[in-house]
Amino acid sequence: VQLQASGGGLVQAGGSLWLSCTTSGRTFSMYSMGWFRQAPGKEREFVAAISRSGSSTYYADSVKGRFTISRPNAKNTVYLQMNSLIPEDTAVYYCAARFSPRAETVEVTTGQYNYWGQGTQVTVSS
């Protein structure tokens, strides 16, 4: 599966952004999805994940209550709504997919995902 992330940009602290990750193929509902981010000089870190049907979600503590992950499967797209952005949210954001045809699971480590998008830059100014 191929992933294409978009929606990044420059925003002031307190603002909002929507990230989108579109996928190829007709089996989107067989994949659990996740968002990760990587700031300069830091390791890639988990942000949010959603199970293949959307019934389960999980968030990093640093974004809980501010970010929302969703996936209308008919659109083959996973979204990350980001509100109340802070400068510490500045990073390249990556979407990822894991083939999970039977399980309703969420994955939180990079090694659990099979496919990655190219990343989209989010910059939050103070």
Side-chain angles (χ1 to χ4, degrees):
V1 63
Q2 292 183 325
L3 310 177
Q4 180 72 39
S6 62
L10 173 64
V11 64
Q12 289 188 332
S16 299
L17 280 175
W18 274 85
L19 302 185
S20 301
C21 177
T22 57
T23 68
S24 62
R26 296 179 291 178
T27 59
F28 180 65
S29 62
M30 294 186 182
Y31 291 83
S32 62
M33 302 295 295
W35 285 97
F36 289 75
R37 67 187 181 186
Q38 188 166 16
K42 295 187 176 181
E43 293 187 352
R44 192 169 298 187
E45 66 173 5
F46 169 76
V47 175
I50 189 165
S51 62
R52 64 183 186 89
S53 73
S55 61
S56 297
T57 58
Y58 191 78
Y59 298 91
D61 287 343
S62 59
V63 306
K64 198 173 297 182
R66 300 188 297 121
F67 291 10
T68 302
I69 189 171
S70 61
R71 61 177 300 163
N73 281 348
K75 294 186 176 182
N76 282 11
T77 301
V78 60
Y79 298 106
L80 186 68
Q81 181 182 0
M82 306 187 295
N83 298 324
S84 302
L85 285 161
I86 59 178
E88 289 75 15
D89 295 320
T90 295
V92 177
Y93 283 70
Y94 298 89
C95 59
R98 173 185 170 90
F99 187 58
S100 301
R102 298 181 179 85
E104 284 288 340
T105 57
V106 291
E107 284 74 35
V108 301
T109 64
T110 57
Q112 292 176 296
Y113 287 90
N114 310 112
Y115 305 95
W116 291 85
Q118 86 289 1
T120 184
Q121 176 70 48
V122 171
T123 303
V124 184
S125 63
S126 58

